[in-house]
Amino acid sequence: MPKLRVCAIPGDGIGQEVIPAAMRVLQALPLESEIVAAEAGWDCFQRYGTALPEETIQLVTACGRAMFGATSSPSTKVAGYRSPILGMRQQFELYANLRPTKSLPLSEAGCRAGVDLLIVRENTEDLYVGRERREGDTAIAERVITVKGSQRIAQVAFQLARQRKAQGKPGVVTILHKANVLKETDGLFRQVCLEVAQDFPDIQAQEMLVDAAAMWLVKDPTRFDVLVTTNMFGDILSDEAAGLVGGLGVAPSANIGEYVAIFEPVHGSAPDIAGKGIANPVGAILSLALLLEHAGVPEMAQRLEGAVEATLAAGIRTPDIGGKATTAEVTAAIIGRLAG
Ligand code: NAI
Ligand code: MG
């Protein structure tokens, strides 16, 4: 395999702690890699007047894959500031947001057993196109769903279900929608997903209303394999799912586009614990595992996941999941278990 190039964008707050931790893990893997550092975020904005410098865009483009920590957004509007991750999702048309949710050996921290699901969320359309307006006493938001957007997200979902099936998972895609009410928008999404399903006879397609799915996620998350849905439903359900398996500190995600893919822990910059050395690096490190899978080295991804599980099972955990270990201790413990 050619050298793996990864653009590392720590961002703000604990991003500065968890991305370097993930990069130490990358360097400890038996794999030729190169880490290219880039800047983005609030600190960057204050220094250079832009939260997402052109140079960062060029470095991400050149590497093709990036690890992103988190950025702090000011709570009031600041002229010229725009969230870099939203900017990058748009710039690189990162249309698929992947949120795998898998049980970890963390039952004391409220992690449910037997969960292994993947939420595939459309990342560019729906209510997030930002077409909101006010007409007198009425506020209106437009919901945009296209054939192209629905097709490409459905293809990602069915392809990933196929890959997972090859690893012994059920091979079932559940299409989540609310077409009984949103007959045009979700009607289109549902129809296109069912059409794409025809090209994947080896994968079982089923559909479920999104409200029922929210209930089943809490009641019995083990019944799901891959779920595919529109942007806003996916946003809500994926945070719900993260809550089933230990919360924000351990949840990874991927943003996938045609030419670029960006991997990031789900959490934000956590200003309340930033600089204390106790940020949980597991979300960032599991995001690195997603990057390795995307880069075509699934055996490295599995090795990494195994090391994370063994570390957590040994009770080496940061305070957010009930432990006493520091970021550095957890990272060192994971590196120490990479050999298997
Ligand atoms: P947050 O995820 O930063 O923190 C929420 C709570 O979870 C805090 O108590 C924090 O200490 C804890 N937490 C989060 N990640 C943790 C980790 N890895 N280890 C241990 N504890 C962890 O969300 P919050 O507080 O709503 O937002 C803080 C800042 O982050 C804001 O400026 C927000 O805009 C930004 N943010 C950025 C995101 C991104 O860049 N993708 C995503 C979410 C929030
Ligand atoms: Mg969210």
Side-chain angles (χ1 to χ4, degrees), residues 14 68 70-73 248-249 264 267-273 279-280 320:
I14 62 167
F68 177 81
T71 56
S72 298
S73 294
L248 276 178
E264 52 164 338
H267 62 75
S269 60
D272 54 337
I273 59 162
N280 194 338
D320 59 303

Side-chain angles (χ1 to χ4, degrees), residues 10-12 14-15 18 42 68-75 81 83-86 89 239 247-251 253 255 264-274 278-284 318-321 327:
D12 300 314
I14 62 167
V18 300
W42 179 243
F68 177 81
T71 56
S72 298
S73 294
S75 45
Y81 182 86
S83 156
I85 190 64
L86 296 182
R89 280 181 188 155
D239 275 22
L248 276 178
V250 298
S253 78
N255 299 278
E264 52 164 338
V266 170
H267 62 75
S269 60
D272 54 337
I273 59 162
I278 54 164
N280 194 338
V282 169
T318 46
D320 59 303
I321 47 174
T327 311

Side-chain angles (χ1 to χ4, degrees), residues 2-340:
K3 182 153 68 172
L4 175 66
R5 292 185 82 198
V6 176
C7 184
I9 313 171
D12 300 314
I14 62 167
Q16 296 279 352
E17 300 167 49
V18 300
I19 295 301
M23 293 301 98
R24 278 198 288 283
V25 174
L26 173 61
Q27 284 170 316
L29 283 166
L31 179 84
E32 232 201 310
S33 62
E34 180 189 348
I35 298 163
V36 178
E39 290 184 86
W42 179 243
D43 288 350
C44 176
F45 176 74
Q46 284 177 315
R47 242 173 301 136
Y48 309 117
T50 170
L52 182 59
E54 182 54 37
E55 196 194 347
T56 296
I57 291 173
Q58 279 168 12
L59 291 173
V60 172
T61 308
C63 294
R65 292 187 188 88
M67 285 284 299
F68 177 81
T71 56
S72 298
S73 294
S75 45
T76 52
K77 206 169 174 177
V78 173
Y81 182 86
R82 187 159 178 257
S83 156
I85 190 64
L86 296 182
M88 286 195 286
R89 280 181 188 155
Q90 204 164 56
Q91 172 94 24
F92 300 121
E93 224 181 310
L94 303 173
Y95 62 87
N97 188 254
L98 310 182
R99 290 275 293 266
T101 301
K102 203 171 161 186
S103 296
L104 292 165
L106 280 177
S107 53
E108 309 85 340
C111 182
R112 305 270 286 268
V115 183
D116 187 357
L117 60 87
L118 171 67
I119 298 184
V120 179
R121 163 189 169 197
E122 202 290 322
N123 217 16
T124 60
E125 308 192 327
D126 196 351
L127 289 165
Y128 292 72
V129 295
R131 292 193 206 157
E132 282 198 298
R133 62 181 189 275
R134 186 75 185 257
E135 292 178 6
D137 284 344
T138 305
I140 299 167
E142 283 181 35
R143 183 166 198 256
V144 177
I145 304 290
T146 68
V147 169
K148 180 187 166 197
S150 306
Q151 248 165 8
R152 63 185 181 182
I153 198 67
Q155 272 154 1
V156 168
F158 280 92
Q159 256 149 23
L160 288 172
R162 186 175 271 170
Q163 270 178 36
R164 287 166 61 93
K165 195 176 178 188
Q167 297 164 6
K169 292 170 193 179
V172 179
V173 174
T174 309
I175 304 158
L176 306 182
H177 60 76
K178 191 76 183 174
N180 54 335
V181 177
L182 302 165
K183 293 196 166 59
E184 287 298 336
T185 49
D186 266 5
L188 176 68
F189 180 77
R190 167 183 181 272
Q191 183 201 332
V192 170
C193 286
L194 290 172
E195 276 164 22
V196 169
Q198 306 276 307
D199 298 334
F200 294 83
D202 50 322
I203 300 302
Q204 188 192 330
Q206 59 183 34
E207 52 181 309
M208 190 181 280
L209 293 175
V210 66
D211 44 352
M215 185 276 291
W216 279 113
L217 260 181
V218 173
K219 197 171 158 67
D220 181 15
T222 65
R223 58 159 44 217
F224 293 110
D225 181 15
V226 175
L227 301 99
V228 64
T229 190
T230 49
N231 204 344
M232 174 162 267
F233 296 155
D235 191 7
I236 299 167
L237 291 182
S238 53
D239 275 22
E240 183 191 348
L244 298 170
V245 296
L248 276 178
V250 298
S253 78
N255 299 278
I256 312 281
E258 200 87 54
Y259 307 107
V260 164
I262 299 180
F263 303 82
E264 52 164 338
V266 170
H267 62 75
S269 60
D272 54 337
I273 59 162
K276 294 187 179 161
I278 54 164
N280 194 338
V282 169
I285 290 169
L286 290 177
S287 300
L288 173 64
L290 297 180
L291 185 150
L292 293 166
E293 208 158 309
H294 184 262
V297 277
E299 65 284 3
M300 290 293 149
Q302 272 159 28
R303 193 190 280 217
L304 187 44
E305 282 175 20
V308 168
E309 282 167 21
T311 300
L312 296 175
I316 304 167
R317 305 165 183 177
T318 46
D320 59 303
I321 47 174
K324 288 197 170 74
T326 63
T327 311
E329 285 163 353
V330 172
T331 307
I334 291 170
I335 290 171
R337 286 166 174 76
L338 280 175

